[in-house]
């Protein structure tokens, strides 16, 4: 395994595992551990196949193409417009959240050395510093992400190690399949890494075996992390306790507080906050570099000179404005994140493959086996997920 392959795997892991992981046990508490385990595995399979569909279609085109060109080539103007809308809604929502969280983290760090700056200043500093890393390209993002992921995985291991000795296996029993429905979108968005696939393909010089390995491992590791975290938390606190936390309106902070009290370990509180902060940074970098490549393809510019500046402004300026001038709009848009994720990373890739393979006959390689039956099945699954989200 080369350094680039390892770095690419870590980039996908960092993009998938965000601070919302801390809320996963709360979101699935009513379903019970074993039912939520099934949900996580199904969500992983659905989004993994969607990612492989994206890889397949992307390989039909040159390495500098992204979802915009993929949609135009396979689905025509309508597909291209839908892709633009879903992409911008989803990733501006996410980037807004990361800028907001990153600025809060920076403010807290500066406060430790008695520097109290307005939130807007900390947001500007955060955006400029990490925006500069994005500006330097995938190699710079890869190196910084490796460092951050080392810290992130260390924090995760410590958190799980602190919780596992207190597990009560009886808490894993019970729950209801019906309770899985409200948690479905949370599970789906927990594997929202697929937009980075075209970037990884270009970074690994279109080495199909390497990219496929990166996609599989980069999504499988988060699955294992989610399962272990669910097992630890749902084994420490009863389902009733977790359901009460879910109704508090502050699931992550309340969960951290209750776990700290239950284990009598202030380390839980410290490492949970540390983990969440690192999650913001790795997710910002992973999503950010994918968005810059998307806009470079959409605007038909190279990420050099004025083109690079245009791409960076399109990537970071709108979410920056959203956070500080329209916070209510951001919170409202979060409810659409799961829907956009399904449309962009599951439904559209399935339709692209169906069109490219069987109607336009432009498929030069096939990554996902199973033929037309699998493709149609994934279209149906995507529609079902959208109906669940609309409940």
């Amino acid at each position: 395994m080369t350094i680039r392959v390892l770095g690419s795997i870590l980039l996908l892991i960092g993009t998938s595992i965000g601070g919302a992981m801390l809320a996963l046990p709360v979101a699935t508490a009513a379903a019970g551990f074993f039912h939520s385990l099934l949900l996580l595995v199904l969500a992983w399979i659905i989004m993994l196949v969607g990612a492989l569909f994206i890889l397949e279609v992307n390989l039909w085109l040159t390495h500098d193409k992204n979802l915009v060109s993929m949609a135009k080539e396979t689905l025509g103007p309508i597909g291209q417009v839908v892709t633009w809308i879903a992409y911008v809604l989803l990733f501006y929502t996410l980037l807004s959240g990361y800028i907001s969280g990153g600025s809060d983290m920076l403010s807290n760090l500066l406060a430790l050395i008695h520097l109290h700056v307005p939130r807007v200043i900390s947001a500007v500093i955060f955006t400029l510093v990490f925006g500069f890393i994005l500006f330097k390209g995938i190699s710079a993002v890869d190196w910084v992400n490796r460092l951050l992921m080392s810290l992130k995985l260390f924090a995760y291991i410590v958190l799980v190690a602190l919780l596992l000795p207190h597990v009560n296996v009886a808490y894993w029993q019970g729950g209801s399949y019906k309770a899985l429905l409200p948690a479905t979108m949370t599970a789906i968005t927990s594997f929202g890494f697929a937009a980075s696939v075209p970037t990884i393909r270009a970074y690994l010089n279109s080495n199909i075996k390497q990219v496929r390995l990166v996609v599989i491992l980069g999504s499988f590791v988060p699955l294992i992390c989610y399962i272990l975290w669910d097992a630890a938390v749902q084994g420490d606190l009863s389902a009733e306790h977790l359901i009460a936390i879910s109704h508090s309106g502050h699931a992550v902070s309340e969960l951290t507080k209750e776990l700290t009290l239950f284990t009598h370990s202030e380390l839980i509180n410290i490492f949970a906050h540390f983990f969440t902060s690192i999650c913001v940074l790795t997710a910002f970098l992973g999503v950010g570099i994918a968005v810059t490549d998307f806009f470079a393809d959409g605007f038909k510019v190279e990420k050099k000179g004025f083109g690079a500046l245009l791409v960076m402004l399109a990537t970071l300026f709108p979410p920056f404005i959203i956070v500080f001038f329209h916070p209510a709009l951001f919170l409202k848009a979060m409810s659409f994140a799961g829907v956009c994720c399904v449309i962009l990373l599951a439904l559209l890739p399935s339709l692209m493959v169906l069109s490219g393979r069987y109607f336009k006959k432009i498929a030069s390689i096939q990554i996902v086996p199973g033929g037309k039956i699998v493709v149609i099945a994934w279209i149906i699954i995507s529609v079902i997920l959208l109906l669940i989200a609309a409940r």
Side-chain angles (χ1 to χ4, degrees), residues 13-76:
I13 295 171
T15 303
S16 295
I17 301 179
M21 186 195 82
L22 297 176
L24 259 179
V26 177
T28 58
F33 171 67
F34 292 107
H35 296 154
S36 62
L37 172 62
L38 175 63
L39 175 63
L40 286 171
V41 172
L42 290 175
W44 170 65
I45 293 172
I46 291 169
M47 299 308 285
L48 172 61
V49 173
L52 292 174
F53 279 151
I54 289 176
L55 173 60
E56 180 175 326
V57 177
N58 191 247
L59 286 167
W60 300 344
L61 309 176
T62 56
H63 72 275
D64 58 334
K65 302 303 181 184
N66 208 281
L67 287 165
V68 175
S69 294
M70 291 161 55
K72 182 180 179 180
E73 191 72 24
T74 56
L75 303 176

Coordinates of all heavy atoms in Angstrom, one line a residue, residues 13-76:
I13 N -12.2 8.4 5.2 CA -12.6 8.2 6.6 C -12.9 9.5 7.3 O -13.9 9.7 8.0 CB -11.5 7.4 7.4 CG1 -11.3 6.0 6.8 CG2 -11.8 7.4 8.9 CD1 -10.1 5.3 7.4
G14 N -12.0 10.5 7.1 CA -12.1 11.8 7.7 C -13.4 12.5 7.2 O -14.0 13.3 8.0
T15 N -13.7 12.3 6.0 CA -14.9 12.9 5.4 C -16.2 12.3 6.0 O -17.2 13.0 6.3 CB -14.9 12.8 3.9 OG1 -13.7 13.4 3.3 CG2 -16.1 13.5 3.3
S16 N -16.1 11.0 6.2 CA -17.3 10.3 6.7 C -17.6 10.5 8.2 O -18.7 10.8 8.6 CB -17.2 8.8 6.4 OG -17.2 8.5 5.0
I17 N -16.5 10.3 9.0 CA -16.7 10.3 10.4 C -16.7 11.8 10.9 O -15.6 12.4 10.9 CB -15.6 9.5 11.1 CG1 -15.7 8.0 10.7 CG2 -15.8 9.6 12.7 CD1 -14.7 7.2 11.4
G18 N -17.8 12.3 11.2 CA -17.9 13.7 11.7 C -18.4 13.7 13.1 O -18.6 12.7 13.8
G19 N -18.6 14.9 13.7 CA -19.0 15.1 15.0 C -20.4 14.4 15.3 O -20.7 14.1 16.4
A20 N -21.1 14.3 14.2 CA -22.5 13.7 14.3 C -22.4 12.2 14.7 O -23.4 11.6 15.2 CB -23.2 13.8 13.0
M21 N -21.2 11.6 14.6 CA -21.0 10.2 15.1 C -21.4 10.1 16.5 O -22.0 9.1 17.0 CB -19.6 9.7 14.9 CG -19.4 8.2 15.2 SD -17.7 7.7 15.4 CE -17.4 8.2 17.1
L22 N -21.1 11.1 17.3 CA -21.4 11.1 18.7 C -22.9 11.0 19.0 O -23.4 10.5 20.0 CB -20.9 12.4 19.4 CG -19.4 12.5 19.4 CD1 -19.0 13.8 20.0 CD2 -18.7 11.4 20.1
A23 N -23.7 11.5 18.0 CA -25.2 11.4 18.2 C -25.8 10.2 17.6 O -27.0 9.9 17.8 CB -25.8 12.7 17.5
L24 N -25.1 9.4 16.9 CA -25.6 8.2 16.3 C -26.3 7.2 17.3 O -27.4 6.7 17.0 CB -24.5 7.4 15.5 CG -24.5 7.5 14.0 CD1 -23.3 6.7 13.4 CD2 -25.8 7.1 13.3
P25 N -25.7 6.9 18.4 CA -26.3 6.0 19.4 C -27.7 6.6 19.9 O -28.6 5.8 20.2 CB -25.3 5.9 20.5 CG -24.0 6.3 19.9 CD -24.3 7.3 18.9
V26 N -27.7 7.9 20.0 CA -29.0 8.6 20.4 C -30.1 8.4 19.4 O -31.2 8.1 19.6 CB -28.7 10.1 20.7 CG1 -30.0 10.8 21.1 CG2 -27.7 10.2 21.9
A27 N -29.7 8.7 18.1 CA -30.6 8.6 17.0 C -31.2 7.2 16.8 O -32.3 7.0 16.4 CB -29.9 9.1 15.7
T28 N -30.4 6.2 17.1 CA -30.9 4.8 16.9 C -31.3 4.1 18.2 O -31.5 2.9 18.2 CB -29.7 4.0 16.3 OG1 -28.5 4.0 17.1 CG2 -29.4 4.5 14.9
A29 N -31.3 4.8 19.3 CA -31.6 4.2 20.6 C -32.9 3.5 20.7 O -33.0 2.3 21.2 CB -31.6 5.3 21.7
A30 N -34.0 4.0 20.1 CA -35.3 3.4 20.2 C -35.3 2.1 19.4 O -36.1 1.2 19.7 CB -36.4 4.3 19.7
A31 N -34.5 2.0 18.4 CA -34.4 0.8 17.6 C -33.7 -0.4 18.3 O -33.9 -1.5 18.0 CB -33.8 1.1 16.3
G32 N -32.8 0.0 19.2 CA -32.0 -1.0 19.9 C -30.7 -1.3 19.1 O -30.6 -1.0 17.9
F33 N -29.7 -1.9 19.8 CA -28.4 -2.0 19.2 C -28.4 -2.9 18.0 O -27.8 -2.6 17.0 CB -27.4 -2.6 20.3 CG -26.1 -2.9 19.7 CD1 -25.2 -2.0 19.2 CD2 -25.7 -4.3 19.6 CE1 -24.0 -2.3 18.6 CE2 -24.4 -4.6 19.0 CZ -23.6 -3.6 18.5
F34 N -29.0 -4.1 18.1 CA -28.9 -5.1 17.0 C -29.7 -4.6 15.8 O -29.2 -4.8 14.7 CB -29.4 -6.5 17.5 CG -28.5 -7.1 18.5 CD1 -28.9 -7.2 19.8 CD2 -27.2 -7.6 18.1 CE1 -28.0 -7.8 20.8 CE2 -26.4 -8.2 19.0 CZ -26.8 -8.3 20.4
H35 N -30.8 -3.9 16.0 CA -31.5 -3.4 14.9 C -30.7 -2.2 14.2 O -30.7 -2.1 13.0 CB -32.9 -2.9 15.3 CG -33.8 -3.9 15.8 ND1 -34.8 -3.7 16.7 CD2 -33.8 -5.3 15.5 CE1 -35.4 -4.9 16.9 NE2 -34.8 -5.8 16.2
S36 N -30.1 -1.4 15.1 CA -29.3 -0.3 14.5 C -28.1 -0.8 13.8 O -27.6 -0.2 12.9 CB -28.9 0.7 15.6 OG -28.1 0.1 16.6
L37 N -27.5 -2.0 14.3 CA -26.4 -2.6 13.6 C -26.8 -3.0 12.2 O -26.1 -2.7 11.2 CB -26.0 -3.9 14.4 CG -25.0 -4.8 13.7 CD1 -23.6 -4.1 13.5 CD2 -24.7 -6.0 14.6
L38 N -28.0 -3.5 12.0 CA -28.5 -3.9 10.7 C -28.7 -2.6 9.8 O -28.3 -2.6 8.6 CB -29.9 -4.6 10.8 CG -30.6 -4.9 9.5 CD1 -29.8 -5.9 8.7 CD2 -32.0 -5.5 9.8
L39 N -29.2 -1.5 10.4 CA -29.4 -0.3 9.7 C -28.0 0.2 9.2 O -27.9 0.7 8.0 CB -30.0 0.7 10.5 CG -30.2 2.1 9.9 CD1 -31.1 2.1 8.7 CD2 -30.8 3.1 11.0
L40 N -27.0 0.2 10.0 CA -25.7 0.7 9.6 C -25.1 -0.1 8.5 O -24.5 0.5 7.6 CB -24.8 0.8 10.8 CG -25.0 1.8 11.9 CD1 -24.2 1.6 13.1 CD2 -24.7 3.2 11.3
V41 N -25.2 -1.4 8.6 CA -24.7 -2.2 7.5 C -25.4 -2.0 6.2 O -24.7 -1.9 5.1 CB -24.8 -3.7 7.9 CG1 -24.4 -4.6 6.7 CG2 -23.9 -4.0 9.1
L42 N -26.7 -1.9 6.2 CA -27.5 -1.6 5.0 C -27.1 -0.2 4.4 O -27.0 -0.1 3.2 CB -29.0 -1.7 5.3 CG -29.5 -3.1 5.6 CD1 -31.0 -3.0 6.0 CD2 -29.3 -4.0 4.4
A43 N -27.0 0.8 5.3 CA -26.6 2.1 4.9 C -25.3 2.1 4.2 O -25.0 2.8 3.2 CB -26.7 3.1 6.0
W44 N -24.3 1.4 4.8 CA -23.0 1.2 4.2 C -23.0 0.6 2.8 O -22.4 1.1 1.9 CB -22.1 0.4 5.1 CG -20.8 0.1 4.5 CD1 -19.8 0.9 4.2 CD2 -20.3 -1.2 4.2 NE1 -18.7 0.2 3.7 CE2 -19.0 -1.1 3.6 CE3 -20.9 -2.5 4.3 CZ2 -18.3 -2.2 3.2 CZ3 -20.1 -3.6 3.8 CH2 -18.8 -3.4 3.3
I45 N -23.8 -0.5 2.7 CA -23.9 -1.2 1.4 C -24.5 -0.2 0.3 O -24.0 -0.1 -0.8 CB -24.7 -2.4 1.5 CG1 -23.9 -3.5 2.4 CG2 -25.0 -3.0 0.1 CD1 -24.8 -4.7 2.7
I46 N -25.5 0.5 0.7 CA -26.2 1.4 -0.2 C -25.3 2.5 -0.7 O -25.2 2.7 -1.9 CB -27.5 2.0 0.4 CG1 -28.6 0.9 0.6 CG2 -28.0 3.1 -0.4 CD1 -29.7 1.3 1.5
M47 N -24.6 3.1 0.2 CA -23.7 4.2 -0.1 C -22.4 3.7 -0.8 O -21.9 4.5 -1.6 CB -23.4 5.1 1.1 CG -24.7 5.7 1.7 SD -25.7 6.6 0.5 CE -24.8 8.1 0.3
L48 N -22.0 2.6 -0.4 CA -20.8 2.0 -1.1 C -21.0 1.7 -2.5 O -20.2 2.1 -3.4 CB -20.3 0.7 -0.4 CG -19.2 -0.1 -1.1 CD1 -17.9 0.7 -1.2 CD2 -18.9 -1.4 -0.3
V49 N -22.2 1.1 -2.9 CA -22.5 0.8 -4.3 C -22.7 2.1 -5.0 O -22.2 2.3 -6.2 CB -23.7 -0.1 -4.4 CG1 -24.2 -0.2 -5.8 CG2 -23.5 -1.4 -3.8
G50 N -23.3 3.1 -4.4 CA -23.4 4.5 -5.0 C -22.1 5.1 -5.3 O -21.9 5.6 -6.4
A51 N -21.1 4.9 -4.4 CA -19.8 5.4 -4.6 C -19.1 4.7 -5.8 O -18.4 5.3 -6.6 CB -19.0 5.3 -3.3
L52 N -19.3 3.4 -5.9 CA -18.7 2.6 -6.9 C -19.3 2.9 -8.3 O -18.7 2.9 -9.3 CB -18.8 1.1 -6.6 CG -18.0 0.6 -5.5 CD1 -18.2 -0.8 -5.2 CD2 -16.5 0.8 -5.7
F53 N -20.6 3.3 -8.3 CA -21.3 3.7 -9.5 C -20.6 5.1 -10.0 O -20.4 5.3 -11.1 CB -22.8 4.0 -9.2 CG -23.6 2.7 -9.3 CD1 -24.8 2.6 -8.6 CD2 -23.3 1.7 -10.1 CE1 -25.6 1.5 -8.6 CE2 -24.1 0.5 -10.2 CZ -25.2 0.4 -9.5
I54 N -20.4 6.0 -9.0 CA -19.7 7.2 -9.3 C -18.4 7.0 -9.9 O -18.0 7.6 -10.9 CB -19.6 8.1 -8.1 CG1 -21.0 8.6 -7.7 CG2 -18.7 9.3 -8.3 CD1 -21.0 9.5 -6.4
L55 N -17.6 6.0 -9.3 CA -16.3 5.7 -9.8 C -16.4 5.2 -11.3 O -15.6 5.5 -12.2 CB -15.6 4.7 -8.9 CG -14.3 4.1 -9.4 CD1 -13.2 5.2 -9.6 CD2 -13.8 3.0 -8.5
E56 N -17.3 4.3 -11.5 CA -17.5 3.7 -12.8 C -17.8 4.7 -13.9 O -17.1 4.8 -14.9 CB -18.7 2.7 -12.8 CG -18.9 2.0 -14.2 CD -19.9 0.9 -14.1 OE1 -20.0 0.2 -13.1 OE2 -20.7 0.8 -15.1
V57 N -18.7 5.6 -13.6 CA -19.1 6.7 -14.6 C -17.9 7.6 -14.8 O -17.6 8.0 -15.9 CB -20.3 7.4 -14.2 CG1 -20.6 8.5 -15.2 CG2 -21.5 6.5 -14.1
N58 N -17.2 8.0 -13.7 CA -16.1 8.9 -13.8 C -15.0 8.3 -14.6 O -14.3 9.1 -15.3 CB -15.6 9.2 -12.3 CG -14.6 10.4 -12.3 OD1 -13.4 10.2 -12.0 ND2 -15.1 11.5 -12.6
L59 N -14.8 7.0 -14.6 CA -13.7 6.4 -15.3 C -14.1 6.3 -16.8 O -13.2 6.1 -17.7 CB -13.5 4.9 -14.9 CG -12.8 4.8 -13.5 CD1 -12.9 3.4 -13.0 CD2 -11.3 5.2 -13.7
W60 N -15.3 6.6 -17.2 CA -15.7 6.7 -18.6 C -15.1 8.0 -19.2 O -15.0 8.1 -20.5 CB -17.2 6.6 -18.8 CG -17.8 5.4 -18.3 CD1 -17.2 4.2 -18.0 CD2 -19.2 5.2 -18.1 NE1 -18.2 3.3 -17.6 CE2 -19.4 3.9 -17.6 CE3 -20.4 6.0 -18.2 CZ2 -20.7 3.3 -17.2 CZ3 -21.6 5.5 -17.9 CH2 -21.8 4.2 -17.4
L61 N -14.9 8.9 -18.4 CA -14.4 10.3 -18.8 C -13.0 10.5 -18.4 O -12.4 9.7 -17.8 CB -15.4 11.3 -18.2 CG -16.9 11.1 -18.3 CD1 -17.6 12.2 -17.6 CD2 -17.3 11.1 -19.8
T62 N -12.4 11.6 -18.8 CA -11.1 12.0 -18.5 C -11.0 12.3 -17.0 O -12.0 12.6 -16.3 CB -10.6 13.2 -19.3 OG1 -11.5 14.3 -19.1 CG2 -10.5 12.8 -20.8
H63 N -9.8 12.3 -16.5 CA -9.6 12.3 -15.0 C -9.9 13.7 -14.4 O -10.1 13.8 -13.2 CB -8.1 12.0 -14.7 CG -7.2 13.1 -15.0 ND1 -6.6 13.2 -16.3 CD2 -6.7 14.2 -14.3 CE1 -5.8 14.3 -16.4 NE2 -5.9 14.9 -15.2
D64 N -10.1 14.7 -15.2 CA -10.4 16.1 -14.7 C -11.9 16.3 -14.6 O -12.3 17.4 -14.3 CB -9.8 17.1 -15.6 CG -10.2 17.1 -17.0 OD1 -10.6 16.0 -17.5 OD2 -10.1 18.1 -17.7
K65 N -12.7 15.3 -14.9 CA -14.2 15.5 -14.9 C -14.7 15.1 -13.5 O -14.2 14.3 -12.8 CB -14.8 14.6 -16.0 CG -14.3 14.9 -17.4 CD -14.5 16.4 -17.8 CE -14.1 16.6 -19.2 NZ -14.2 18.1 -19.6
N66 N -15.9 15.8 -13.2 CA -16.5 15.6 -11.9 C -18.0 15.3 -12.2 O -18.4 15.0 -13.3 CB -16.3 16.8 -11.0 CG -16.3 16.4 -9.5 OD1 -17.4 16.3 -9.0 ND2 -15.1 16.3 -8.9
L67 N -18.8 15.4 -11.1 CA -20.2 15.0 -11.2 C -21.0 15.8 -12.3 O -21.9 15.3 -12.9 CB -20.9 15.2 -9.9 CG -20.5 14.1 -8.8 CD1 -20.9 14.5 -7.4 CD2 -21.1 12.7 -9.2
V68 N -20.6 17.1 -12.5 CA -21.3 17.9 -13.4 C -21.2 17.3 -14.8 O -22.2 17.1 -15.5 CB -20.8 19.4 -13.5 CG1 -21.4 20.2 -14.6 CG2 -21.0 20.0 -12.1
S69 N -20.0 17.1 -15.3 CA -19.7 16.5 -16.6 C -20.3 15.1 -16.7 O -20.8 14.7 -17.8 CB -18.2 16.5 -16.9 OG -17.7 17.8 -17.0
M70 N -20.2 14.3 -15.6 CA -20.8 13.0 -15.6 C -22.3 13.0 -15.8 O -22.8 12.2 -16.6 CB -20.5 12.3 -14.2 CG -19.0 12.0 -14.0 SD -18.6 11.7 -12.3 CE -19.7 10.4 -11.9
A71 N -23.0 13.9 -15.2 CA -24.4 14.1 -15.3 C -24.8 14.5 -16.8 O -25.7 14.0 -17.4 CB -25.0 15.0 -14.3
K72 N -24.0 15.5 -17.3 CA -24.3 16.0 -18.6 C -24.1 14.9 -19.7 O -24.9 14.8 -20.6 CB -23.3 17.2 -18.9 CG -23.6 17.8 -20.3 CD -22.6 19.0 -20.5 CE -22.8 19.6 -21.9 NZ -21.9 20.7 -22.1
E73 N -23.1 14.2 -19.5 CA -22.7 13.1 -20.5 C -23.8 12.0 -20.5 O -24.1 11.4 -21.6 CB -21.3 12.6 -20.2 CG -20.8 11.7 -21.3 CD -20.4 12.5 -22.6 OE1 -20.1 13.7 -22.4 OE2 -20.4 11.9 -23.7
T74 N -24.3 11.7 -19.3 CA -25.2 10.5 -19.2 C -26.7 10.8 -19.1 O -27.5 10.1 -19.7 CB -24.8 9.7 -18.0 OG1 -24.9 10.5 -16.8 CG2 -23.4 9.1 -18.1
L75 N -27.0 12.0 -18.5 CA -28.4 12.3 -18.3 C -28.9 13.6 -19.0 O -30.1 13.9 -18.9 CB -28.6 12.5 -16.7 CG -28.3 11.3 -15.9 CD1 -28.5 11.6 -14.4 CD2 -29.1 10.0 -16.3
G76 N -27.9 14.3 -19.6 CA -28.3 15.4 -20.4 C -28.5 16.7 -19.5 O -28.2 16.7 -18.3

